[in-house]
Amino acid sequence: MPKDHGIGASSKRREDIRFLTGEGNYTDDINVNGQAYVYFLRSDVAHGTLNGVDTSAADGMPGVVRIFTGADFEAVGSIPCGWQVTDKHGEVMQEPRHPVLAHGKVRHVGEPIAAVVAETLEQARDAAEAIVLDISELPAVINMKDAVKAGAPKVHDDLTSNLCYDWGFVEENKGAVDQAFKDAAHVTTLELVNNRLVANPMEPRVAVGDYSRGTGDHTLFTTSQNPHVIRLLMGAFVLGIPEHKLRVVAPDVGGGFGTKIFHYQEEAFVTFAAKACNRAVKWTSSRSEAFMSDAHGRDHVTKIELALDKDNNFTALRTDTYANMGAYLSTFAPSVPTWLHGTLMAGNYKTPLIYVNVKAVFTNTVPVDAYRGAGRPEATYQLERLVDKAAHELKVDPIKLRRQNFITQFPYATPVAVEYDTGNYVATMDKLEEMADIAGFKKRREASEAKGKLRGFGVNCYIEACGIAPSNLVGQLGARAGLFESCTVRVNATGGLVVMTGSHSHGQGHETSFAQVVADMIGIPEDMVEIVHGDTANTPMGMGTYGSRSLAVGGSAMVRATEKIIAKAKKIASHLLEASEGDVELKDGAFTVAGTDKSVAWGDVTLAAYVPHNYPLEEIEPGLEETAFYDPSNFTYPSGAYACEVELDPETGQVTIERFSAADDFGNIVNPMIVTGQVHGGLAQGIGQALLENCAYDSDGQLLSASYMDYAMPRASDLPFYDVDHSCQTPCTHNPLGVKGCGEAGAIGSPPAVVNAVLDAMRSGGSKVDHVDMPVSPHRVWEAMQG
Amino acid sequence: MYNFDVEMPTTIAEAVKALGREEAQPMSGGQTLIPTLKARLAAPSVLVSLHGIAEMKGVCNNDAGQLCIGGATTHATVAAEVGTQYPALASLAARIGDPAVRNRGTIGGSVANNDPSACYPAGVLASGATVVTNNREIAADDYFLGMFETALEEGEIVTEVRFPIPEAAHYEKHLQPASRFPLVAVFVAKFADGVRVAVTGASENGVFRWTEAEEALNANFNAEAVAGLKADGSAMISDLHGTGAYRAHLTGVMTKRAVAAITG
Ligand SMILES: Cc1cc2nc3c(=O)[nH]c(=O)nc-3n(C[C@H](O)[C@H](O)[C@H](O)COP(=O)(O)OP(=O)(O)OC[C@H]3O[C@@H](n4cnc5c(N)ncnc54)[C@H](O)[C@@H]3O)c2cc1C
């Protein structure tokens, strides 16, 4: 029987009532009395010397409050980068200044140059059109390999080159890896591109800055996945505002996918301008602005090689990746192609020797940072495409080759610095084979061929590291932040609970699933538990939501805080029951004394805490409120196996996905329905990357895919009915809930399955092609099939 | 969006008069024009809405048996109402954009705009239809002049499009994956006196008639007749979604499929 409440129940998402009825409170719904609007005048050239910004004609235009340019921000700090990578020579990365408004130079199309604050948005736009920019255009660097050539134009004149860092991992293994390649019976090599993506959350970014002259308090309302992080980064590094004078509120947020982790110029601008203008300032991104100012994702160019012995055992892996940073370092950009990517290169396999080289490169493009999966999709894609290619070259079954090389003993220390605590890759592959009905494939292929179509089957495995992360470990790796999580549980006098979490929910359903956990621990109905998040004024300092960390890290903090509550409540109960504390048990919302019929209800205990007439005041304080901070001891390692079946029209190159099966191991599961939904969403984005999405620049740095006319988002009709299973569960060994995280798996695990399936279909039609880059659009497939 | 005045005429005559105002522009469904205005890429001082002109709306037949569609008739109406008479045209209309677009967007707006990737121009040209304006009748062959270019003069409005009804026709559309406009689409119309093949999405000069295919099909109306035919890719659009060579190839494939759909 599926559970109907508590941990393991598919409780309906309580937040959906407001989201589906238009009752959500998004940042754009927030309007502060007397607010003005800002319009950013953005660069329409990719690279140029900014000789001057003449605002004289615009200054006096109707409604203009004030016009800001880069000069106004000279004394203001640089938009900070939260991670410092050390390169293979022991040198720290090159880190350019990142101004709020461009000064001296423009470095990508979309970079804000001037900001007009006016009574209305249209007046601000009118005035912006009257600003005269004097820009001497410079040659743009777009292609990463060109950017690192000697003599290439430099994105940042004060840096030695466009190379941010040249990272080797594990540098000490390099010699042994090279030797293993010399000794190999077979080497498979693959060059591929992990296409640049635009995150495209349904809600574009919005920021409202407010300032009170009376108190000196700043407030920023913003579309963020981590308001505390924004408060710290912007307050301490950009504007010099201490935390106690700065409140950051991220209310309902309509999807983030990573792109709302980062601290952006527009947030600093509205906060700064609110004080300078002494009135609230609001910015709402248009979709066009989002394309050229939200941090993009992926954009790796990789050569990867696999060495195998004569029995097809993987003996070594070597990669060489160029990772695009864009024009500036976004908040977590340097960590994505390194610690979130290199450490995952072992995948599900016991390859003993691995060497990963990553060159991070500055180009005249929008900054690139974490996007759903961040680094792990890039790792999975190249590895799983490579293994498939190896299987094809060696004429062995791709599933068999994978199984042969699976890690089967846990814990397992990889040669790339991480230790997988648990997993069962054989079990997920068994499950997948059953779901995918491999036996029936031949018939389905024949049916497709009878219609003049080709049919292909592709499979892949994935492993990811999420629940980031131990603070002491990431500190050694260059993180300039801790990655703990926090929770305050406040029990009210009549027994209801307010759970204030440092995690942030922007679609993941925490308000439902977190409440299930707490309600289950106490044995009370879920609707007695309210989850509060997103406001630095009423939540403890937390690091926010990304890297599938909310339940694994934030949920653990919540469990710890709830345990403290229960411990104290037991003390109160034992007093009320006149029993010894050790004999008191909490079950189904009541405290009982073992071996007696004595009982006191949860609500009586909580009332006693706040009306302490009969209370052990000399032993414990009144009230019932506890806070816990939780810092994990390891990442968590969800894993799985995915299969995709496609039909391909050989005349047009059109690919349609006919079946998709996903067998995931997420450890323990709190709300299966929400987990399924998270997988569905991740699959849509992974399939979107594989088949449709492509953020493209021309050689002058103009964004070619700058709107939905050219940037193809997956639509419902592009996607199949998924077959999703998460019954294979190896609980995480080091967090109290045994959970692993499920938010990114779909996006990580699906692109290689799709591309492997497309190649299988192409080969069945006689094509000799061994790779097509994503998105495998009809045009690319057709062109590849021309030979 | 810049500020503008709005005029809401109820007759063609009033509309023509309103369009005489300085920098006036007609607006029909607004599905192309409103995004353009929002992006500040157009700055009319007066928008003349054609939405309230009853004489420009709806579907009827004239004495010659032609299908007459008012210029302000929405795609949804065409999809719903011409299915029995001219199923290929109804199917074309039914596949434009999404329901919101089809409920606002109009045949007049589409034909006036002449987007090189729009659907209607292919249907109009292949049908040998007549574009009727407030002061003349223009044969489709003389109407489409190039990418976003038509024979319309300043202030002239498309009031109706008259379609002779072919014996058989089919519209085959290969989608551009992002916009879902045609990447290449082909409308084949077979009349008693010959076959007309119009191609949209492909050419840098907008919709065109593929005369080689017409000749081949006049000789033998069969998919085989065009299977080996290669369209000329030299003046075809090359962009993110496909090269000219790919579009030329698709022109052949879509034509073949359209014919096959007719011959069954
Ligand atoms: C999301 C989306 C998807 C779409 N997909 C497709 C598709 O798949 N295929 C396709 O063909 N189209 C597509 N369109 C375009 C759609 O069909 C438009 O409705 C059409 O192109 C313009 O018609 P309208 O009535 O909206 O014209 P408007 O936007 O009102 O006007 C367009 C232009 O024509 C002028 N104009 C309008 N009516 C007249 C008239 N009667 N006489 C003279 N000039 C006039 C206007 O001044 C303006 O310059 C799509 C649009 C959107 C927004």
Side-chain angles (χ1 to χ4, degrees), chain A residues 67 86 129 164 222 251 257 421 452 458 507 548 578 667 731:
Chain A
I67 300 178
T86 301
E129 285 180 7
C164 176
T222 183
F257 312 117
D421 57 344
S548 306
E578 297 173 341

Side-chain angles (χ1 to χ4, degrees), chain B:
Chain B
M1 222 180 257
Y2 298 103
N3 286 339
F4 49 79
D5 288 345
V6 177
E7 294 250 18
M8 302 282 285
T10 54
T11 64
I12 294 171
E14 280 172 27
V16 170
K17 183 156 171 266
L19 284 167
R21 286 178 62 182
E22 191 80 358
E23 285 176 37
Q25 188 175 358
M27 181 167 90
S28 195
Q31 296 304 291
T32 296
L33 188 52
I34 288 176
T36 314
L37 294 174
K38 279 186 170 175
R40 295 192 158 203
L41 296 172
S45 52
V46 188
L47 274 189
V48 179
S49 171
L50 307 178
H51 189 65
I53 304 177
E55 57 185 309
M56 273 178 67
K57 284 184 156 176
V59 176
C60 64
N61 290 96
N62 63 10
D63 295 344
Q66 290 175 319
L67 176 67
C68 304
I69 303 176
T73 309
T74 63
H75 310 326
T77 301
V78 174
E81 294 186 10
V82 312
T84 15
Q85 286 197 55
Y86 198 167
L89 194 67
S91 152
L92 174 152
R95 287 183 280 158
I96 293 174
D98 50 47
V101 170
R102 292 194 290 274
N103 282 323
R104 299 294 310 185
T106 65
I107 187 169
S110 179
V111 167
N113 197 47
N114 193 19
D115 187 302
S117 302
C119 298
Y120 264 124
V124 171
L125 187 59
S127 304
T130 303
V131 178
V132 182
T133 76
N134 52 299
N135 56 23
R136 58 184 169 143
E137 294 180 4
I138 312 169
D141 285 320
D142 303 325
Y143 176 84
F144 299 104
L145 300 183
M147 206 184 252
F148 296 107
E149 269 185 62
T150 68
L152 289 179
E153 312 214 315
E154 193 72 27
E156 190 172 10
I157 48 180
V158 176
T159 54
E160 188 177 86
V161 184
R162 286 186 199 144
F163 293 86
I165 297 174
E167 289 171 354
H170 187 82
Y171 181 59
E172 190 74 20
K173 177 173 174 181
H174 182 82
L175 300 181
Q176 195 261 50
S179 69
R180 292 199 171 181
F181 275 66
L183 188 72
V184 170
V186 174
F187 200 108
V188 174
K190 183 175 183 294
F191 291 91
D193 60 352
V195 179
R196 291 172 67 102
V197 177
V199 183
T200 186
S203 168
E204 287 173 351
N205 301 313
V207 68
F208 69 96
R209 278 176 67 186
W210 190 17
T211 46
E212 290 92 331
E214 290 179 356
E215 281 159 23
L217 290 168
N218 279 330
N220 171 19
F221 193 80
N222 193 294
E224 293 306 311
V226 285
L229 221 52
K230 270 207 156 41
D232 175 11
S234 61
M236 291 213 176
I237 300 168
S238 266
D239 62 13
L240 212 51
H241 309 289
T243 56
Y246 180 54
R247 282 183 164 84
H249 166 75
L250 284 180
T251 301
V253 176
M254 294 300 113
T255 305
K256 186 181 80 178
R257 289 185 179 182
V259 174
I262 293 170
T263 56

Side-chain angles (χ1 to χ4, degrees), chain A residues 123 593 643 669 696:
Chain A
Q123 287 172 328
V593 181
I669 284 174

